[in-house]
Coordinates of all heavy atoms in Angstrom, one line a residue:
A209 N -40.6 -108.9 62.0 CA -41.3 -107.6 61.7 C -42.6 -107.6 62.6 O -42.9 -106.5 63.1 CB -41.6 -107.5 60.3
L210 N -43.3 -108.7 62.7 CA -44.5 -108.7 63.5 C -44.2 -108.4 65.0 O -44.9 -107.7 65.6 CB -45.2 -110.0 63.3 CG -46.5 -110.2 64.1 CD1 -47.5 -109.1 63.6 CD2 -47.1 -111.6 63.8
Y211 N -43.1 -109.0 65.5 CA -42.7 -108.8 66.9 C -42.4 -107.4 67.2 O -43.0 -106.8 68.2 CB -41.5 -109.7 67.2 CG -40.9 -109.4 68.5 CD1 -41.4 -109.8 69.7 CD2 -39.7 -108.6 68.6 CE1 -40.9 -109.5 70.9 CE2 -39.1 -108.3 69.8 CZ -39.7 -108.7 71.0 OH -39.2 -108.4 72.2
M212 N -41.6 -106.7 66.4 CA -41.2 -105.3 66.7 C -42.4 -104.4 66.6 O -42.5 -103.5 67.4 CB -40.1 -104.9 65.8 CG -38.7 -105.4 66.2 SD -38.3 -105.1 67.9 CE -38.2 -103.4 67.9
T213 N -43.3 -104.6 65.6 CA -44.5 -103.8 65.5 C -45.4 -103.9 66.7 O -45.8 -102.9 67.2 CB -45.2 -104.2 64.2 OG1 -44.4 -104.1 63.1 CG2 -46.4 -103.3 64.0
T214 N -45.5 -105.1 67.2 CA -46.4 -105.4 68.3 C -45.8 -104.8 69.6 O -46.5 -104.1 70.4 CB -46.6 -106.9 68.5 OG1 -47.1 -107.4 67.3 CG2 -47.5 -107.2 69.7
V215 N -44.5 -105.0 69.8 CA -43.8 -104.5 71.0 C -43.8 -103.0 71.0 O -44.1 -102.3 72.0 CB -42.4 -105.1 71.1 CG1 -41.7 -104.4 72.3 CG2 -42.5 -106.6 71.4
N216 N -43.5 -102.4 69.8 CA -43.6 -100.9 69.8 C -44.9 -100.4 70.1 O -45.1 -99.3 70.8 CB -43.2 -100.4 68.4 CG -41.7 -100.3 68.2 OD1 -41.0 -100.0 69.2 ND2 -41.2 -100.5 67.0
S217 N -46.0 -101.0 69.7 CA -47.3 -100.6 70.0 C -47.6 -100.7 71.5 O -48.2 -99.8 72.1 CB -48.3 -101.5 69.2 OG -49.7 -101.2 69.5
L218 N -47.2 -101.8 72.1 CA -47.4 -102.0 73.5 C -46.6 -100.9 74.3 O -47.2 -100.4 75.3 CB -47.0 -103.4 74.0 CG -47.9 -104.5 73.5 CD1 -47.2 -105.9 73.8 CD2 -49.2 -104.4 74.1
V219 N -45.4 -100.7 73.9 CA -44.6 -99.6 74.6 C -45.3 -98.3 74.5 O -45.4 -97.5 75.5 CB -43.2 -99.6 74.1 CG1 -42.4 -98.4 74.6 CG2 -42.5 -100.9 74.5
S220 N -45.7 -97.9 73.3 CA -46.4 -96.6 73.1 C -47.7 -96.5 73.9 O -48.0 -95.4 74.4 CB -46.6 -96.3 71.6 OG -47.6 -97.2 71.1
Q221 N -48.4 -97.6 74.0 CA -49.6 -97.5 74.8 C -49.4 -97.4 76.3 O -50.2 -96.8 77.0 CB -50.5 -98.8 74.5 CG -51.1 -98.8 73.2 CD -51.8 -100.1 72.9 OE1 -51.9 -101.0 73.7 NE2 -52.3 -100.3 71.7
R222 N -48.3 -97.9 76.8 CA -48.0 -97.8 78.2 C -47.5 -96.4 78.6 O -47.6 -96.0 79.7 CB -46.9 -98.8 78.6 CG -47.4 -100.3 78.6 CD -48.4 -100.6 79.7 NE -47.8 -100.4 81.0 CZ -48.5 -100.4 82.1 NH1 -49.8 -100.7 82.1 NH2 -48.0 -100.3 83.3
A223 N -46.9 -95.7 77.6 CA -46.4 -94.4 77.9 C -47.5 -93.3 77.8 O -48.4 -93.5 77.1 CB -45.3 -94.1 76.9
G224 N -47.3 -92.3 78.6 CA -48.3 -91.2 78.5 C -48.1 -90.4 77.2 O -47.0 -90.5 76.6
Q225 N -49.0 -89.6 76.9 CA -49.0 -88.8 75.6 C -47.8 -87.9 75.6 O -47.2 -87.7 74.6 CB -50.2 -88.0 75.4 CG -51.4 -88.9 75.0 CD -52.6 -88.1 74.6 OE1 -52.7 -86.9 75.1 NE2 -53.5 -88.7 73.9
T226 N -47.4 -87.3 76.8 CA -46.3 -86.3 76.8 C -45.0 -87.0 76.8 O -44.0 -86.3 76.4 CB -46.4 -85.4 78.0 OG1 -46.4 -86.2 79.2 CG2 -47.7 -84.6 77.9
E227 N -44.9 -88.2 77.2 CA -43.6 -88.9 77.2 C -43.4 -90.0 76.2 O -42.4 -90.7 76.2 CB -43.4 -89.5 78.6 CG -44.4 -90.5 79.0 CD -44.3 -91.0 80.5 OE1 -43.7 -90.3 81.3 OE2 -45.0 -92.0 80.8
R228 N -44.3 -90.2 75.3 CA -44.3 -91.2 74.3 C -43.1 -91.3 73.4 O -42.5 -92.3 73.2 CB -45.6 -91.2 73.5 CG -45.8 -92.4 72.6 CD -47.2 -92.5 72.1 NE -48.1 -92.7 73.2 CZ -49.4 -92.4 73.2 NH1 -49.9 -91.7 72.2 NH2 -50.2 -92.7 74.2
G229 N -42.7 -90.1 73.0 CA -41.5 -90.0 72.1 C -40.2 -90.4 72.9 O -39.4 -91.2 72.3
L230 N -40.1 -90.0 74.1 CA -38.9 -90.3 74.9 C -38.9 -91.8 75.2 O -37.8 -92.5 75.0 CB -39.0 -89.5 76.2 CG -37.9 -89.9 77.2 CD1 -36.5 -89.5 76.7 CD2 -38.2 -89.2 78.6
V231 N -40.0 -92.4 75.5 CA -40.1 -93.8 75.9 C -39.8 -94.7 74.6 O -39.0 -95.6 74.7 CB -41.4 -94.2 76.5 CG1 -41.6 -95.7 76.6 CG2 -41.6 -93.5 77.8
L232 N -40.4 -94.3 73.5 CA -40.1 -95.1 72.3 C -38.7 -94.9 71.8 O -38.1 -95.9 71.4 CB -41.1 -94.7 71.2 CG -42.5 -95.2 71.3 CD1 -43.4 -94.6 70.3 CD2 -42.5 -96.7 71.1
G233 N -38.1 -93.8 72.0 CA -36.7 -93.6 71.6 C -35.8 -94.4 72.5 O -34.8 -95.0 72.0
A234 N -36.0 -94.4 73.8 CA -35.2 -95.2 74.7 C -35.4 -96.7 74.4 O -34.4 -97.4 74.4 CB -35.6 -94.8 76.1
F235 N -36.6 -97.1 74.2 CA -36.8 -98.5 73.9 C -36.1 -99.0 72.6 O -35.4 -100.0 72.6 CB -38.3 -98.8 73.8 CG -38.6 -100.1 73.3 CD1 -38.5 -101.3 74.1 CD2 -39.0 -100.4 72.0 CE1 -38.8 -102.5 73.6 CE2 -39.3 -101.6 71.5 CZ -39.2 -102.7 72.3
N236 N -36.3 -98.2 71.6 CA -35.6 -98.6 70.3 C -34.1 -98.5 70.4 O -33.4 -99.3 69.8 CB -36.2 -97.7 69.2 CG -37.5 -98.2 68.7 OD1 -37.8 -99.3 68.6 ND2 -38.4 -97.2 68.5
S237 N -33.6 -97.5 71.1 CA -32.1 -97.4 71.3 C -31.6 -98.6 72.0 O -30.6 -99.2 71.7 CB -31.8 -96.1 72.0 OG -32.1 -95.0 71.3
A238 N -32.3 -99.0 73.1 CA -31.9 -100.2 73.9 C -32.0 -101.5 73.0 O -31.1 -102.4 73.1 CB -32.7 -100.3 75.1
S239 N -33.0 -101.5 72.2 CA -33.2 -102.7 71.4 C -32.1 -102.8 70.3 O -31.5 -103.9 70.2 CB -34.6 -102.6 70.6 OG -34.8 -103.6 69.8
W240 N -31.7 -101.8 69.7 CA -30.6 -101.8 68.7 C -29.3 -102.0 69.4 O -28.4 -102.7 68.8 CB -30.7 -100.5 67.8 CG -31.7 -100.7 66.8 CD1 -32.9 -100.0 66.7 CD2 -31.6 -101.5 65.6 NE1 -33.6 -100.4 65.6 CE2 -32.8 -101.4 64.9 CE3 -30.7 -102.4 65.1 CZ2 -33.1 -102.0 63.7 CZ3 -31.0 -103.1 64.0 CH2 -32.2 -102.9 63.3
A241 N -29.1 -101.5 70.6 CA -27.8 -101.7 71.3 C -27.7 -103.2 71.6 O -26.6 -103.7 71.4 CB -27.8 -100.9 72.5
G242 N -28.8 -103.8 72.0 CA -28.7 -105.3 72.2 C -28.4 -106.1 71.0 O -27.7 -107.0 71.0
R243 N -29.0 -105.7 69.9 CA -28.7 -106.4 68.6 C -27.3 -106.2 68.1 O -26.7 -107.0 67.4 CB -29.7 -105.9 67.5 CG -31.1 -106.4 67.8 CD -32.0 -106.2 66.6 NE -33.3 -106.4 66.9 CZ -34.3 -105.4 66.9 NH1 -34.0 -104.2 66.4 NH2 -35.5 -105.7 67.2
T244 N -26.7 -105.0 68.4 CA -25.4 -104.7 68.0 C -24.3 -105.3 68.9 O -23.4 -105.9 68.4 CB -25.2 -103.2 67.9 OG1 -26.2 -102.6 67.1 CG2 -23.8 -102.8 67.4
L245 N -24.5 -105.2 70.2 CA -23.5 -105.6 71.2 C -23.7 -107.1 71.6 O -22.7 -107.7 72.0 CB -23.6 -104.7 72.4 CG -23.3 -103.2 72.2 CD1 -23.5 -102.5 73.5 CD2 -21.9 -103.1 71.7
G246 N -24.9 -107.6 71.4 CA -25.2 -109.0 71.9 C -24.3 -110.0 71.3 O -23.6 -110.8 72.0
P247 N -24.2 -110.1 70.0 CA -23.4 -111.2 69.4 C -21.9 -111.2 69.8 O -21.4 -112.2 70.1 CB -23.6 -111.0 67.9 CG -25.0 -110.4 67.8 CD -25.1 -109.5 69.0
P248 N -21.2 -110.0 69.7 CA -19.8 -110.1 70.1 C -19.6 -110.3 71.6 O -18.7 -111.0 71.9 CB -19.3 -108.7 69.7 CG -20.4 -107.8 69.3 CD -21.6 -108.7 69.1
V249 N -20.5 -109.8 72.4 CA -20.3 -110.0 73.8 C -20.6 -111.5 74.2 O -19.8 -112.1 74.9 CB -21.2 -109.1 74.7 CG1 -21.3 -109.5 76.1 CG2 -20.8 -107.7 74.5
T250 N -21.7 -112.1 73.7 CA -21.9 -113.5 74.0 C -20.9 -114.4 73.3 O -20.6 -115.4 73.9 CB -23.4 -113.9 73.5 OG1 -23.5 -113.6 72.1 CG2 -24.4 -113.1 74.3
G251 N -20.4 -114.1 72.2 CA -19.4 -114.9 71.5 C -18.1 -114.9 72.4 O -17.5 -115.9 72.5
T252 N -17.8 -113.7 72.9 CA -16.6 -113.6 73.8 C -16.8 -114.4 75.1 O -15.9 -115.1 75.5 CB -16.3 -112.1 74.1 OG1 -16.1 -111.4 72.9 CG2 -15.1 -112.0 75.0
L253 N -17.9 -114.3 75.7 CA -18.2 -115.1 76.9 C -18.2 -116.6 76.6 O -17.6 -117.3 77.4 CB -19.6 -114.7 77.4 CG -19.8 -113.3 78.1 CD1 -21.2 -113.1 78.4 CD2 -19.0 -113.3 79.4
F254 N -18.7 -117.0 75.5 CA -18.8 -118.4 75.1 C -17.3 -118.9 74.9 O -17.0 -120.0 75.4 CB -19.6 -118.6 73.9 CG -19.8 -120.0 73.5 CD1 -20.8 -120.7 74.0 CD2 -19.0 -120.6 72.5 CE1 -21.0 -122.1 73.6 CE2 -19.1 -121.9 72.2 CZ -20.2 -122.6 72.7
S255 N -16.5 -118.1 74.2 CA -15.2 -118.6 73.8 C -14.2 -118.5 75.0 O -13.4 -119.4 75.1 CB -14.6 -117.7 72.7 OG -15.4 -117.9 71.6
F256 N -14.3 -117.5 75.8 CA -13.2 -117.3 76.8 C -13.6 -117.5 78.2 O -12.7 -117.7 79.1 CB -12.6 -115.8 76.7 CG -12.0 -115.6 75.4 CD1 -12.6 -114.7 74.5 CD2 -10.8 -116.2 75.0 CE1 -12.0 -114.5 73.2 CE2 -10.2 -116.0 73.8 CZ -10.8 -115.1 72.9
V257 N -14.9 -117.6 78.5 CA -15.3 -117.8 79.9 C -15.8 -119.3 80.1 O -15.2 -120.1 80.7 CB -16.4 -116.8 80.4 CG1 -16.8 -117.1 81.8 CG2 -15.8 -115.4 80.2
A258 N -16.9 -119.5 79.5 CA -17.5 -120.9 79.6 C -18.7 -121.0 78.6 O -19.2 -120.0 78.2 CB -18.0 -121.2 81.0
Q259 N -19.1 -122.2 78.2 CA -20.1 -122.3 77.3 C -21.5 -121.9 77.9 O -22.4 -121.5 77.2 CB -20.2 -123.8 76.9 CG -19.1 -124.2 76.0 CD -19.2 -125.7 75.5 OE1 -20.1 -126.4 76.0 NE2 -18.3 -126.1 74.6
D260 N -21.6 -122.0 79.2 CA -22.9 -121.6 79.8 C -22.9 -120.1 80.2 O -23.9 -119.6 80.6 CB -23.1 -122.4 81.1 CG -23.4 -123.9 80.8 OD1 -23.8 -124.2 79.7 OD2 -23.2 -124.7 81.7
A261 N -21.8 -119.4 80.1 CA -21.7 -118.0 80.5 C -22.7 -117.1 79.8 O -23.4 -116.3 80.5 CB -20.3 -117.5 80.3
P262 N -23.0 -117.2 78.5 CA -24.0 -116.3 77.9 C -25.4 -116.5 78.5 O -26.1 -115.5 78.7 CB -23.9 -116.6 76.4 CG -22.6 -117.2 76.2 CD -22.2 -117.9 77.5
L263 N -25.7 -117.7 78.7 CA -27.0 -118.0 79.3 C -27.1 -117.5 80.7 O -28.2 -116.9 81.1 CB -27.3 -119.5 79.3 CG -28.6 -120.0 79.9 CD1 -29.8 -119.5 79.2 CD2 -28.6 -121.5 80.0
L264 N -26.1 -117.7 81.5 CA -26.1 -117.2 82.9 C -26.2 -115.6 83.0 O -26.9 -115.1 83.8 CB -24.9 -117.7 83.7 CG -24.9 -119.2 83.8 CD1 -23.6 -119.7 84.5 CD2 -26.1 -119.7 84.6
V265 N -25.4 -115.0 82.1 CA -25.4 -113.5 82.0 C -26.8 -113.0 81.6 O -27.4 -112.1 82.2 CB -24.3 -113.0 81.1 CG1 -24.5 -111.5 80.9 CG2 -23.0 -113.3 81.7
A266 N -27.4 -113.7 80.6 CA -28.7 -113.3 80.1 C -29.8 -113.5 81.2 O -30.7 -112.7 81.4 CB -29.1 -114.1 78.9
A267 N -29.7 -114.6 82.0 CA -30.6 -114.8 83.1 C -30.5 -113.7 84.2 O -31.5 -113.2 84.7 CB -30.3 -116.2 83.7
G268 N -29.2 -113.3 84.5 CA -29.0 -112.2 85.4 C -29.6 -110.9 84.9 O -30.2 -110.1 85.7
I269 N -29.5 -110.6 83.6 CA -30.0 -109.4 83.1 C -31.6 -109.4 83.1 O -32.2 -108.5 83.4 CB -29.5 -109.2 81.6 CG1 -28.0 -108.9 81.6 CG2 -30.3 -108.1 80.9 CD1 -27.4 -108.9 80.3
M270 N -32.1 -110.6 82.8 CA -33.6 -110.7 82.9 C -34.1 -110.5 84.3 O -35.2 -109.9 84.5 CB -34.0 -112.1 82.3 CG -33.9 -112.2 80.8 SD -34.8 -111.0 79.9 CE -36.5 -111.4 80.4
V271 N -33.4 -111.1 85.3 CA -33.9 -110.9 86.7 C -33.9 -109.4 87.0 O -34.8 -108.8 87.6 CB -33.0 -111.7 87.7 CG1 -33.2 -111.2 89.1 CG2 -33.2 -113.1 87.5
G272 N -32.8 -108.7 86.6 CA -32.7 -107.2 86.8 C -33.9 -106.5 86.1 O -34.5 -105.6 86.7
C273 N -34.2 -106.9 84.9 CA -35.3 -106.3 84.1 C -36.6 -106.5 84.8 O -37.5 -105.6 84.8 CB -35.3 -106.8 82.7 SG -34.0 -106.2 81.7
M274 N -36.8 -107.7 85.3 CA -38.1 -108.0 86.0 C -38.2 -107.2 87.3 O -39.3 -106.7 87.6 CB -38.2 -109.5 86.3 CG -38.4 -110.3 85.1 SD -38.7 -112.1 85.4 CE -37.5 -112.6 86.5
V275 N -37.1 -106.9 88.0 CA -37.2 -106.1 89.2 C -37.6 -104.7 88.8 O -38.4 -104.0 89.5 CB -35.8 -106.1 90.0 CG1 -35.8 -105.1 91.0 CG2 -35.6 -107.5 90.5
V276 N -36.9 -104.1 87.8 CA -37.2 -102.8 87.3 C -38.7 -102.7 86.8 O -39.4 -101.8 87.2 CB -36.3 -102.3 86.2 CG1 -36.7 -101.0 85.6 CG2 -34.9 -102.2 86.8
L277 N -39.1 -103.7 86.1 CA -40.5 -103.7 85.6 C -41.5 -103.8 86.7 O -42.5 -103.1 86.7 CB -40.7 -104.9 84.6 CG -42.0 -105.0 84.0 CD1 -42.3 -103.8 83.1 CD2 -42.1 -106.3 83.2
R278 N -41.2 -104.5 87.7 CA -42.1 -104.6 88.8 C -42.3 -103.3 89.5 O -43.4 -102.9 89.9 CB -41.6 -105.7 89.8 CG -42.6 -105.9 91.0 CD -42.1 -107.0 91.8 NE -43.3 -108.0 91.8 CZ -43.3 -109.1 92.4 NH1 -42.2 -109.5 93.1 NH2 -44.3 -109.8 92.4
R279 N -41.2 -102.5 89.7 CA -41.2 -101.2 90.3 C -42.0 -100.2 89.4 O -42.7 -99.4 89.9 CB -39.8 -100.7 90.6 CG -39.2 -101.4 91.7 CD -37.8 -100.9 92.0 NE -37.2 -101.7 93.1 CZ -36.1 -101.3 93.7 NH1 -35.5 -100.1 93.4 NH2 -35.6 -102.1 94.6
V280 N -41.8 -100.3 88.1 CA -42.5 -99.4 87.2 C -44.0 -99.6 87.2 O -44.8 -98.7 87.2 CB -41.9 -99.5 85.8 CG1 -42.7 -98.8 84.7 CG2 -40.5 -99.0 85.7
V281 N -44.4 -100.9 87.2 CA -45.8 -101.2 87.1 C -46.5 -100.8 88.4 O -47.6 -100.4 88.4 CB -46.0 -102.7 86.8 CG1 -47.4 -103.2 87.0 CG2 -45.5 -103.0 85.4
R282 N -45.8 -101.0 89.5 CA -46.4 -100.6 90.8 C -46.7 -99.1 91.0 O -47.6 -98.7 91.6 CB -45.6 -101.1 92.0 CG -45.7 -102.5 92.3 CD -45.0 -102.9 93.5 NE -45.0 -104.3 93.8 CZ -44.3 -104.9 94.6 NH1 -43.4 -104.2 95.4 NH2 -44.4 -106.2 94.8
G283 N -45.8 -98.3 90.4 CA -46.1 -97.0 90.7 C -45.3 -95.9 90.1 O -45.5 -94.8 90.1

């Protein structure tokens, strides 16, 4: 509960006043999608691909997120 409250606050502070609702809606939708789809997808990867597959996929997703974040922060 403390994590989500803090992250929601940080996201709302980064968004402008006119786009705050859109940004918070997109953030919360993505967050819940990850919580809903994450366990079955990682379980499938673990069971049918390899034991390291969920970690490697997560690392790839994080690299992509860092690239997007870097572009957003720059401008």
Side-chain angles (χ1 to χ4, degrees):
L210 181 61
Y211 167 78
M212 284 307 294
T213 304
T214 304
V215 172
N216 274 328
S217 176
L218 290 172
V219 169
S220 70
Q221 288 175 4
R222 291 291 297 172
Q225 286 185 341
T226 58
E227 60 188 16
R228 193 166 287 154
L230 175 67
V231 170
L232 281 171
F235 171 75
N236 284 318
S237 294
S239 177
W240 280 106
R243 288 189 194 120
T244 303
L245 298 174
V249 169
T250 56
T252 302
L253 287 171
F254 185 86
S255 296
F256 297 111
V257 178
Q259 290 182 352
D260 291 339
L263 178 64
L264 296 174
V265 169
I269 291 170
M270 287 302 298
V271 168
C273 289
M274 289 189 312
V275 168
V276 170
L277 181 63
R278 183 171 239 183
R279 289 184 183 191
V280 168
V281 170
R282 281 188 184 168

